[in-house]
């Protein structure tokens, strides 16, 4: 086993050396067997996560201890056939987003050693990006499972809080902590999540969660913050604009959201009494050994000593208020899109201004755990300067599989290679927790007017994942009327006595049953849904109209359908 010594630390502190990514590396990987869902995969764990046989340092030699058991998540991964290769470097006590706050030295960016890797899970991201292991565990309190992924061209899953047990993990701010997963593909990261997740009563914040198992519709609605900051980095700004365009090309619908409550919540993490939880996490050690803690981590932990219990209550109430305000955005969007990190910084620049620049790297991350959201960071593009740019998809608690599904679709649309290895992406794989299309209950609904393809209300179908099955006609027992004073113009379809009607053109759409109720709720009086008879003798749900509403309406049955009638008006 290779473990850094104090003399190694002095050398490493002066250089952004690739060797800095490891704190302890085993000459013989730890394995419990070859069979299992993760058989053949190599992994590493951040050195604030226990692994029996390895010291846990949290990047503080004076704090180090020898655990007698694996952390819950490590045990599950080993039982699934993965092999543990060692422990990785981090910002001390997981306090930072840049990867330079460690006595074991700064961890370099996998593409340019002059730049930071991102933290606090810096070493875990580097060893994945450089191909030394297949996946790695990190932790994420304020973005530590996402920022390093975005800066190193890899995938970072930040699960819903409590989905992965934190038993055997040195806490940073326990109520907001998550174990995170790094991999070069979404497929591998999602497989690890599937194995590692589960309720653990030994973790006070563990919980049994129901995860959504249907993918977002093809015309998903993605939120984009109303205000965006890139701190003068035009390459990052252009890369984010490119990501928006790519999502729209994939069928996504952009929606601008008010970023104010999210930014306000993020600010509370370090600028309010919430920082007291950072101090509480290592209180006994810090009170006795403050001089063993590096700056600026020492100053951040010390700040937590100054707050009262009343101050903490006020901060928690303020956070709940911002959460209530932010919750409104989920009525309009399926997922939120943000840059994973707004810019890249050199190691030298970060060490010269460690507080302000670290805060900038967390511009789009700090609020996620505080507001109980899930997230995934995926690679997006390579900038002209050769540095990676990543984006993060954020969803409500329990949207983990949906995020993985969208993240994989997006990642594979980029044409990027894996991490810094230069290897092509393998074919996309089904996400374990997402139902196949054949497993999703569907309802057929026939539309006759403003919901037809290309008509003004067709979006109410497509945004619910509906797809056009066929174009056909009704049985010859219907008449079509142009309803007066409707916006947009709408028809009314009425069934009449045999021999008095016509065949009317309709489209039959397939819609996920779970979304059908929300579609029906949008239908205004006097229209409704009933059973329509089609020309082939089959029946389907479709639009009908109350007879009393047709007073003064024009009978347009002679046109054979609404599209032909509208075309006749436009030709005049």
């Amino acid at each position: 086993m290779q473990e850094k010594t104090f003399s190694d630390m002095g050398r490493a502190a002066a250089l952004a050396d690739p060797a800095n990514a490891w704190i302890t590396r085993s000459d013989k990987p730890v394995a419990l067997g070859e069979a299992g869902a993760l058989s053949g995969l190599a992994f590493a764990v951040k050195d604030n996560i226990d692994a029996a046989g390895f010291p846990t340092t949290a990047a503080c030699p004076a704090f180090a201890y020898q655990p007698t058991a694996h952390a819950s998540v490590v045990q599950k991964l080993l039982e699934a056939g993965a092999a543990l290769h060692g422990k990785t470097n981090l910002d001390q006590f997981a306090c930072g987003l840049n990867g330079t706050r460690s006595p074991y030295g700064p961890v370099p960016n996998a593409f340019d050693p002059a730049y930071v890797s991102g933290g606090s899970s810096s070493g875990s991201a580097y060893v994945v990006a450089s191909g030394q292991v297949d996946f790695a565990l990190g932790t994420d309190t304020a973005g530590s499972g996402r920022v390093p992924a975005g800066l190193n061209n890899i995938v970072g899953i930040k699960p819903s809080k409590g989905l992965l047990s934190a038993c055997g993990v040195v806490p940073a701010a326990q109520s907001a902590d998550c174990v995170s997963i790094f991999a070069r593909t979404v497929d591998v990261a999602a497989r690890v999540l599937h194995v590692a997740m589960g309720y653990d009563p030994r973790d006070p914040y563990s919980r049994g969660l129901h995860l959504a198992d249907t993918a977002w519709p093809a015309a998903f609605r993605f939120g984009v913050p109303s205000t965006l900051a890139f701190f003068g980095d035009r390459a990052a700004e252009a890369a984010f604009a490119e990501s928006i365009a790519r999502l729209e090309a994939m069928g996504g619908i952009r929606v601008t959201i008010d970023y104010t409550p999210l930014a306000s919540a993020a600010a509370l993490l370090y600028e309010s009494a919430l920082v007291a939880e950072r101090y509480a996490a290592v209180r006994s050690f810090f009170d006795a050994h403050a001089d063993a803690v590096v700056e600026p981590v020492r100053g951040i932990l010390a700040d937590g000593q100054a707050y009262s219990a009343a101050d903490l209550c006020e901060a928690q109430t303020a956070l709940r208020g911002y959460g209530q305000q932010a919750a409104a955005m989920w009525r309009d969007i399926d997922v939120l899109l943000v840059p994973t990190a707004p810019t890249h910084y050199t190691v030298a620049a970060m060490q010269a201004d460690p507080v302000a620049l670290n805060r900038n790297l967390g511009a789009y991350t700090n609020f996620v755990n505080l507001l109980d959201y899930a997230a995934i960071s995926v690679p997006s593009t390579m900038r002209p300067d050769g540095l990676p740019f990543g984006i993060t998809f954020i969803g409500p608690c329990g949207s983990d599989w949906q995020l993985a599904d969208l993240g994989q679709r997006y990642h594979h649309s980029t044409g990027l290679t894996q991490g810094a290895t230069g290897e092509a992406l393998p074919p996309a794989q089904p996400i374990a927790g997402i139902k196949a299309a054949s497993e999703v209950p569907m309802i057929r609904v026939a539309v006759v007017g403003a919901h037809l393809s290309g008509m003004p209300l067709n979006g109410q179908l497509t945004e619910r994942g509906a797809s056009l099955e066929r174009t056909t006609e009704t049985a010859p027992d219907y008449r079509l009327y142009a309803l007066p004073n409707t916006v947009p113009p709408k028809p009314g379809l009425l069934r009449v006595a045999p021999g008095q009607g016509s065949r009317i053109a309709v489209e039959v759409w397939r819609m996920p049953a779970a979304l059908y109720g929300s579609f029906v709720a949008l239908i205004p009086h006097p229209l409704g849904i009933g059973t329509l008879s089609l020309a082939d003798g089959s029946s389907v749900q479709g639009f009908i109209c109350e007879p009393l509403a047709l007073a003064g309406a024009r009978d347009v049955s002679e046109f054979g359908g609404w599209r032909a009638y509208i075309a006749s008006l436009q030709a005049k």
Side-chain angles (χ1 to χ4, degrees):
M1 182 178 295
Q2 303 166 18
E3 186 176 344
K4 282 193 170 71
T5 65
F6 282 96
S7 59
D8 291 328
M9 295 176 212
R11 174 188 60 80
L15 301 169
D17 186 337
N20 295 353
W22 295 96
I23 290 180
T24 308
R25 192 171 187 181
S26 178
D27 298 323
K28 183 179 179 181
V30 177
L32 296 182
E34 297 182 357
L38 304 180
S39 179
L41 297 184
F43 77 107
V45 298
K46 184 176 180 177
D47 202 13
N48 62 339
I49 301 173
D50 288 347
F54 297 84
T56 299
T57 71
C60 181
F63 176 81
Y65 62 90
Q66 195 75 34
T68 58
H70 300 301
S72 294
V73 288
V74 174
Q75 182 70 29
K76 286 187 173 185
L77 299 175
L78 291 169
E79 290 174 352
L84 176 61
H85 284 241
K87 307 290 288 295
T88 56
N89 201 356
L90 64 149
D91 282 324
Q92 193 174 72
F93 293 115
C95 191
L97 287 172
N98 60 80
T100 71
R101 298 175 175 181
S102 171
Y104 296 96
V107 178
N109 185 279
F111 288 82
D112 187 335
Y115 285 83
V116 301
S117 62
S120 61
S121 310
S122 53
S124 289
Y126 184 88
V127 298
V128 169
S130 57
Q132 298 177 62
V133 294
D134 298 300
F135 70 90
L137 296 184
T139 60
D140 187 311
T141 303
S144 300
R146 291 161 279 156
V147 169
L151 297 185
N152 287 281
N153 194 44
I154 61 173
V155 173
I157 286 182
K158 198 297 297 177
S160 295
K161 287 194 302 182
L163 185 61
L164 270 64
S165 171
C167 178
V169 178
V170 177
Q174 198 166 7
S175 68
D177 290 344
C178 293
V179 174
S180 61
I181 301 164
F182 296 105
R184 291 185 294 278
T185 67
V186 174
D187 169 50
V188 170
R191 285 162 55 195
V192 173
L193 177 63
H194 193 257
V195 166
M197 60 189 279
Y199 173 70
D200 182 356
R202 296 171 298 172
D203 172 8
Y205 288 95
S206 181
R207 51 186 175 167
L209 292 172
H210 171 73
L211 304 186
D213 59 6
T214 56
W216 282 309
F220 59 92
R221 299 171 68 84
F222 66 95
V224 176
S226 52
T227 57
L228 289 162
F230 296 93
F231 305 100
D233 190 335
R234 293 185 177 179
E237 186 173 5
F240 188 63
E242 180 184 328
S243 72
I244 293 173
R246 180 176 288 118
L247 281 171
E248 290 176 329
M250 289 170 56
I253 301 168
R254 174 180 177 171
V255 178
T256 300
I257 62 100
D258 181 9
Y259 195 64
T260 305
L262 302 178
S264 298
L268 289 174
L269 188 63
Y270 290 108
E271 299 172 17
S272 77
L274 294 185
V275 77
E277 193 171 12
R278 292 273 188 180
Y279 165 64
V282 290
R283 179 178 181 176
S284 297
F285 173 81
F286 187 78
D287 287 350
H289 305 284
D291 58 348
V293 181
V294 301
E295 286 290 5
V297 176
R298 184 192 310 153
I300 293 169
L301 298 179
D303 285 346
Q305 296 173 310
Y307 292 99
S308 68
D311 293 331
L312 181 59
C313 290
E314 289 180 357
Q316 291 173 332
T317 300
L319 177 60
R320 291 296 296 268
Y322 295 135
Q324 298 281 32
Q325 295 172 36
M329 72 180 176
W330 299 117
R331 293 196 294 265
D332 301 318
I333 62 173
D334 297 301
V335 64
L336 175 63
L337 169 72
V338 296
T340 297
T343 188
H344 281 264
Y345 289 117
T346 64
V347 173
M350 182 61 66
Q351 291 178 330
D353 192 1
V355 175
L357 300 194
N358 184 86
R359 183 187 301 116
N360 292 350
L361 288 181
Y364 302 105
T365 62
N366 288 356
F367 65 88
V368 176
N369 282 346
L370 294 179
L371 298 181
D372 201 12
Y373 301 153
I376 184 171
S377 174
V378 294
S380 185
T381 192
M382 294 300 296
R383 300 158 31 132
D385 57 9
L387 294 172
F389 178 82
I391 60 168
T392 293
F393 295 118
I394 300 168
C397 176
S399 63
D400 303 69
W401 295 132
Q402 295 172 313
L403 290 166
D405 179 74
L406 178 59
Q408 181 173 240
R409 287 171 52 202
Y410 183 91
H411 189 196
H412 279 71
S413 75
T414 64
L416 292 170
T417 53
Q418 298 183 54
T421 67
E423 298 175 5
L425 285 174
Q429 301 296 321
I431 300 300
I434 291 292
K435 288 181 178 178
S438 60
E439 299 178 285
V440 179
M442 304 293 283
I443 288 181
R444 289 177 170 83
V445 58
V447 298
V448 68
H451 289 88
L452 294 166
S453 302
M455 292 292 183
L457 299 183
N458 184 249
Q460 292 181 358
L461 290 166
T462 58
E463 68 188 13
R464 286 166 173 77
S467 58
L468 178 61
E469 181 179 273
R470 58 182 168 135
T471 298
T472 184
E473 294 179 324
T474 67
D477 302 325
Y478 293 88
R479 301 204 69 81
L480 189 68
Y481 295 84
L483 300 177
N485 305 317
T486 54
V487 180
K490 300 180 186 70
L493 186 67
L494 181 69
R495 185 159 194 161
V496 294
Q500 298 183 15
S502 302
R503 297 179 187 270
I504 304 298
V506 296
E507 290 179 351
V508 179
W509 288 71
R510 297 178 75 251
M511 179 185 298
L515 301 175
Y516 184 62
S518 67
F519 173 70
V520 172
L522 297 174
I523 300 172
H525 179 81
L527 301 177
I529 292 287
T531 301
L532 298 187
S533 296
L534 301 181
D536 62 3
S538 63
S539 297
V540 67
Q541 296 292 292
F543 279 77
I544 58 174
C545 184
E546 295 181 7
L548 291 177
L550 300 179
R554 177 185 173 185
D555 187 333
V556 295
S557 306
E558 62 187 282
F559 293 94
W562 188 247
R563 195 185 302 279
Y565 168 66
I566 293 296
S568 74
L569 298 179
Q570 295 171 344
K572 293 181 179 180

